[in-house]
Amino acid sequence: MNTSTLLTWLVTFGLLAWVLAFIFRRSRRFAAHPLAGPRMRQITGLYLPLLEIVLLLCLLGVAYFSRAGSGGLRNLPAQVFFGLAALCALVLGVLVAVQGFTLSERSRSRGELDAARSLRTSGFFVLVVGAAGVLVTMFAALILANPFIGS
């Protein structure tokens, strides 16, 4: 593996790790808010880590099935895992953004307009980072599916 390939892998998977950590930290912040209910805490404590694990397993599935048949992403199982990885990344970003928007509406209904604006901005930023996370996930899956790397 040459230096540029190694740097591409490091930057891609480092950025993916940063996106996943950012989304998880922001979700924990939303769940710790006084207006957050038990369902929001359950989403942060259970469903979000499970979705991140499923995302990583889908990326491993792309790597395995694209190399098992040596067809890259022409294998149907590799394509399915590629789509599932992109879908998991999309759900992660949207799920946490909805938490922020929900807390924003709860704050707004209580008359706390500054807190509502801050939560809305934070939710929107999570949505933007989540969208970037979908693109990074797709790029990571394409890197893993490349049959020429590692040969």
Side-chain angles (χ1 to χ4, degrees), residues 51-112:
L51 271 172
E52 288 183 350
I53 291 170
V54 168
L55 171 69
L56 295 176
L57 289 176
C58 286
L59 288 176
L60 287 175
V62 167
Y64 176 75
F65 285 111
S66 65
R67 293 177 192 279
S70 70
L73 276 177
R74 286 178 283 181
N75 289 339
L76 182 63
Q79 291 175 359
V80 168
F81 279 112
F82 181 86
L84 286 174
L87 184 66
C88 284
L90 180 68
V91 169
L92 280 169
V94 170
L95 186 65
V96 177
V98 166
Q99 285 180 330
F101 295 141
T102 301
L103 287 174
S104 169
E105 287 301 310
R106 288 179 185 171
S107 293
R108 189 183 59 81
S109 68
R110 292 179 61 152
E112 302 168 354

Side-chain angles (χ1 to χ4, degrees), residues 5 8 35 37 61 64 86 90 93 95 128 132:
T5 304
T8 303
L35 295 177
Y64 176 75
L90 180 68
L95 186 65
V128 170

Side-chain angles (χ1 to χ4, degrees), residues 3-15:
T3 306
S4 63
T5 304
L6 182 64
L7 285 175
T8 303
W9 276 62
L10 287 175
V11 168
T12 301
F13 288 102
L15 192 57

Side-chain angles (χ1 to χ4, degrees), residues 14-24 52 129-134 136-137:
L15 192 57
L16 183 62
W18 178 83
V19 165
L20 293 177
F22 174 82
I23 288 175
F24 187 71
E52 288 183 350
V129 170
V134 172
V136 171
T137 301

